Amino acid sequence: MQRSCVIPMPGTPDPLAAELRPTAGPVVGARAPDRVRGARPDLLRTGAILVALFTAAPVIALGFVAASQGEIAGTLDHLFATVLPGYMLTTAWVSIVVVALALLFGVSCGWLVARYRFPGQRIVSWALVLPLAMPGFVMAYAYTQFLEVSGPLQGALRAATGWGIGDYWFPDIRTPVGAGVFLGLSLYPYVYLFSRAAFAEANPSMAEAARSLGLSRTAVWWRVIWPVARPAIVAGTLLVLMETLADFGVVAYFAVDTFSAGIYRAWQGMGDRVGAARLAIVLLALVGMVVVLERRQRGRMRFFARGGAQLAPVVAGGWAGLRMLAWCLVPIVFGFVLPALLLLSGWLGGEAVVDPRLGRWVANTALIATVAALATMPLALFGAYAARLHPVRPVRWSLALANSGYALPGVVLGVALLAFAGAFDRWVSQPLFGAGLFGGTVFALVYSYGVRFFSVAYQGLGAALERISPSMDQSARCLGRSRLGVLRDVHWPMLRRSLAASSLLVMIECLKELPATLVLRPFNFDTLAVVAYQFASDERLSEAALPSLLIVVVGILPVLMLARALARR
């Protein structure tokens, strides 16, 4: 039996009047409701908090480790007086380079692909996602072998000019700037994916109204289109920033002293797990400050888009179209094509030896990535939907804590999970089952991936939900839909593309995950990332080339599926 909608008496304010007014296009500055009428807040709110605590358990365990010994204030004073300033400066420098490159290529290419039709646009629209399949540390291996003093590029330069070593200047890539460039080339697709989807879903009515009022195209972009796309772009940028702060492979290979490298050195090299945990807490505090500052700057504004109309693409031919194509090819060539060719040539130059264990490594990598993505997406959807219906402080703070796992270096997360798994097996598994079920198992590895990449799924789904107007929820509730009915009939059709994109992003990240896998993998359970890192650490670059290349090959399939999902209308 359907409910009937109550019509206000004359003179009575209608709570839905502002939302149901016939307004076309994006609504800027509207405020989302605190909850949907008739919902049961206790069940959903409690479930969201439990999901967040389950996801954030290693982060909480890390806090206990940090507070387990000695005086925290004295330790932090010592860290600030010795290593923290250098770590903070180097980390900030790497992060600035990465974010600048990600915004430069991600936003510009997302706008060009969504707004224009130029020669080769359909090909570059999905090719721009391919660098996601190229891990940053794999790209660093490929370029280092190519650009080093004994590499083919400098060798050809000396042969052509007759110069000797030391007679010319050549940029050193083993610097914070070099690490930032390679991370930026591998991470910019996050911003591209979110910005392209936001630009493609922009309603044209507001832009047309602004143009009719005399605003230039540039003013329309900054004052109308950018505010609506900003939440999605910020979500992608935060993912890039957190991935940069947690990176270990590139900075360790280049000997760049960022937070993650310093934490690893303190934990593994010096055996000081308490000091490493306190460094990790400082890193988490920095990430939290970035998120809070962005939210404060955004304020209470919400950005929604109504209707199915989209900006009509502009056909660009001639030199204008070729310039757009050339610009979009820059990150594709340097972020995917060239490093892939370098890896292939490195493998062929090393006599093209195929390890007999290669098939097992590929199967392990694909299996663990698929299972982790299937386990993470329902939790992220539940958390994002609860945050939409009940944006109260306990829910917001719990989900913020759950999202913080993405900023933890993988090796610290792995060791924190080892401590958590040991306590879980002692207190729960052994009394009930007579054996440990968590530590040293595939389940522990999947759980670590869920903790690590919960933010990837949550940010994408949260940005998609923010673009859905609350008036659609209220109208569906007025027509008798339950909360699940609203999710199924209203939100799900609008979320399917974002859900598919987020799940594939989680799968791609799991394929590339290195430090947590090094610490938590079961005995004789190696992935392609682990063996590539082990070979490269031993300077066996020709043997590391094939596993590195296969990481790219295995990652191409979900990347192409992601590009296809985003291309659907």
Side-chain angles (χ1 to χ4, degrees):
M1 180 176 179
Q2 293 186 342
R3 303 175 190 171
S4 59
C5 193
V6 178
I7 302 176
M9 296 296 293
T12 304
D14 183 3
L16 301 181
E19 288 293 344
L20 298 180
R21 191 176 295 128
T23 302
V27 179
V28 180
R31 180 181 173 182
D34 288 341
R35 71 170 101 179
V36 176
R37 180 175 298 175
R40 296 179 181 176
D42 293 339
L43 180 61
L44 193 60
R45 186 185 308 168
T46 303
I49 294 174
L50 290 177
V51 167
L53 291 178
F54 175 76
T55 307
V59 181
I60 299 172
L62 187 68
F64 280 107
V65 173
S68 61
Q69 297 177 9
E71 184 182 355
I72 299 178
T75 303
L76 291 180
D77 289 340
H78 174 71
L79 291 175
F80 272 106
T82 54
V83 296
L84 267 184
Y87 290 163
M88 295 176 70
L89 182 62
T90 306
T91 303
W93 188 225
V94 173
S95 300
I96 289 172
V97 175
V98 173
V99 171
L101 277 179
L103 288 174
L104 175 64
F105 290 124
V107 176
S108 62
C109 294
W111 172 250
L112 292 177
V113 169
R115 187 70 179 94
Y116 294 94
R117 295 295 177 266
F118 51 87
Q121 183 265 346
R122 293 179 61 88
I123 296 176
V124 299
S125 65
W126 59 262
L128 282 164
V129 190
L130 289 177
L132 273 182
M134 181 71 64
F137 64 91
V138 170
M139 192 183 302
Y141 301 158
Y143 276 112
T144 299
Q145 192 174 14
F146 179 68
L147 297 175
E148 63 184 357
V149 175
S150 58
L153 181 60
Q154 293 198 48
L157 179 64
R158 291 192 296 269
T161 60
W163 293 337
I165 297 177
D167 294 339
Y168 60 93
W169 177 85
F170 198 84
D172 183 13
I173 63 172
R174 295 178 182 264
T175 60
V177 175
V181 168
F182 294 136
L183 285 172
L185 287 174
S186 64
L187 296 176
Y188 84 86
Y190 283 121
V191 179
Y192 165 73
L193 291 173
F194 286 115
S195 62
R196 175 190 168 187
F199 290 141
E201 294 169 2
N203 195 294
S205 58
M206 288 294 287
E208 293 169 358
R211 289 286 291 165
S212 67
L213 293 175
L215 292 181
S216 64
R217 293 185 181 274
T218 304
V220 169
W221 197 92
W222 282 110
R223 299 179 62 180
V224 177
I225 296 174
W226 169 255
V228 178
R230 179 174 173 268
I233 295 174
V234 169
T237 305
L238 285 177
L239 289 177
V240 170
L241 180 59
M242 288 190 287
E243 184 70 25
T244 302
L245 294 176
D247 176 73
F248 172 74
V250 176
V251 295
Y253 188 66
F254 282 177
V256 175
D257 285 335
T258 61
F259 260 108
S260 58
I263 293 168
Y264 178 80
R265 186 182 301 113
W267 202 309
Q268 297 291 327
M270 303 178 183
D272 184 9
R273 68 171 191 166
V274 176
R278 289 171 182 173
L279 281 173
I281 294 298
V282 175
L283 177 59
L284 280 179
L286 292 176
V287 175
M289 288 174 56
V290 172
V291 176
V292 169
L293 287 174
E294 190 281 327
R295 302 249 171 166
R296 291 274 186 184
Q297 194 273 334
R298 194 197 312 182
R300 302 182 67 89
M301 292 187 298
R302 298 294 184 268
F303 308 94
F304 310 117
R306 287 198 189 100
Q310 296 179 348
L311 288 171
V314 177
V315 178
W319 284 109
L322 292 178
R323 287 197 301 269
M324 294 178 185
L325 176 62
W327 176 253
C328 291
L329 287 176
V330 170
I332 298 173
V333 171
F334 289 99
F336 181 80
V337 177
L338 183 57
L341 292 177
L342 292 175
L343 289 173
L344 182 60
S345 64
W347 177 57
L348 295 176
E351 299 180 359
V353 178
V354 178
D355 195 293
R357 300 167 293 177
L358 189 62
R360 186 169 73 248
W361 296 338
V362 174
N364 291 342
T365 304
L367 173 65
I368 203 70
T370 303
V371 173
L374 292 176
T376 304
M377 293 310 302
L379 298 179
L381 179 60
F382 187 89
Y385 196 56
R388 176 183 175 86
L389 294 186
H390 308 295
V392 293
R393 285 186 178 180
V395 175
R396 293 201 308 267
W397 290 355
S398 300
L399 291 172
L401 185 62
N403 278 274
S404 65
Y406 193 63
L408 277 177
V411 64
V412 175
L413 178 61
V415 178
L417 270 173
L418 285 178
F420 176 73
F424 181 87
D425 287 340
R426 286 195 305 270
W427 297 337
V428 180
S429 299
Q430 291 178 355
L432 292 179
F433 305 102
L437 300 178
F438 200 169
T441 63
V442 175
F443 176 75
L445 196 56
V446 171
Y447 179 60
S448 71
Y449 287 174
V451 173
R452 180 81 169 80
F453 303 121
F454 176 85
S455 182
V456 175
Y458 179 84
Q459 293 286 352
L461 294 176
L465 282 171
E466 281 192 359
R467 295 196 299 270
I468 301 176
S469 172
S471 64
M472 303 183 72
D473 300 36
Q474 296 165 349
S475 300
R477 294 290 288 167
C478 187
L479 294 173
R481 293 292 189 273
S482 63
R483 285 180 303 174
L484 291 179
V486 174
L487 177 61
R488 180 186 64 247
D489 299 333
V490 178
H491 294 160
W492 179 253
M494 306 177 72
L495 284 177
R496 283 183 299 181
R497 187 165 62 180
S498 296
L499 185 68
S502 298
S503 61
L504 290 171
L505 281 175
V506 172
M507 185 180 297
I508 293 166
E509 286 296 332
C510 293
L511 291 173
K512 302 186 294 183
E513 173 56 31
L514 172 63
T517 313
L518 276 172
V519 176
L520 290 171
R521 72 191 191 280
F523 177 74
N524 202 27
F525 188 92
D526 291 330
T527 63
L528 291 171
V530 169
V531 296
Y533 173 77
Q534 290 173 341
F535 285 141
S537 299
D538 295 337
E539 295 299 329
R540 298 157 65 183
L541 295 179
S542 60
E543 295 178 63
L546 183 57
S548 301
L549 191 61
L550 285 177
I551 295 175
V552 180
V553 173
V554 174
I556 282 179
L557 179 59
V559 165
L560 293 180
M561 294 171 62
L562 175 63
R564 181 180 179 185
L566 291 173
R568 292 174 181 170
R569 292 291 184 264

